[in-house]
Amino acid sequence: MKSPVSNFNWLKYPYGDCTQWFGENPSLYASLGLNGHNGIDIVRPYGEHLFAAQSGIICDLKEDPGGYGRHIRILTDPDKDGVMWEWTYGHLSYINVKLGQRVDEGQYVGNMGNSGFV
């Protein structure tokens, strides 16, 4: 698995690149029917290139002003145990792939942005 950004640092901002971990801020996300944040938010400079963490198919590509904004989802190839993952890249400023397109691990898929509910 590759990092979705260059030189990624798993520490919490301002020491690293993560601004919000899975499950944080339950009161904010309760209004959306969630128990807490349902992903990991990464902060990087606007427009920075993002890369496919794993090979797979672009299974969703939308613009949602109240949610993930301009976003894509990659459904990965099955691993050795048959498990497939779904990666969501939300709040993009630019999308460099098309729905149904196959992407390889490390392939440029879009640019960091701040679209949607950020």
Side-chain angles (χ1 to χ4, degrees):
M1 176 173 56
K2 290 198 73 90
S3 171
V5 294
S6 298
N7 303 314
F8 182 63
N9 181 331
W10 280 98
L11 296 177
K12 184 87 175 211
Y13 182 82
Y15 306 104
D17 298 318
C18 294
T19 58
Q20 189 170 206
W21 295 105
F22 187 87
E24 288 188 336
N25 299 317
S27 60
L28 173 66
Y29 290 96
S31 65
L32 302 171
L34 301 170
N35 293 328
H37 187 250
N38 62 345
I40 298 171
D41 284 347
I42 298 170
V43 61
R44 295 301 286 242
Y46 185 91
E48 183 171 321
H49 284 198
L50 299 170
F51 306 98
Q54 293 179 283
S55 297
I57 299 291
I58 304 299
C59 65
D60 189 26
L61 186 151
K62 290 182 184 159
E63 180 138 358
D64 175 14
Y68 289 121
R70 196 173 295 117
H71 68 279
I72 63 171
R73 294 180 199 270
I74 301 171
L75 182 63
T76 69
D77 297 336
D79 66 14
K80 62 182 170 67
D81 298 319
V83 176
M84 299 168 75
W85 294 86
E86 184 177 276
W87 291 88
T88 301
Y89 292 71
H91 314 292
L92 304 176
S93 63
Y94 176 75
I95 294 174
N96 191 52
V97 292
K98 299 201 180 313
L99 186 62
Q101 178 181 338
R102 174 161 183 77
V103 294
D104 294 321
E105 183 177 300
Q107 183 175 333
Y108 164 54
V109 295
N111 293 51
M112 185 68 74
N114 66 350
S115 61
F117 179 61
V118 292

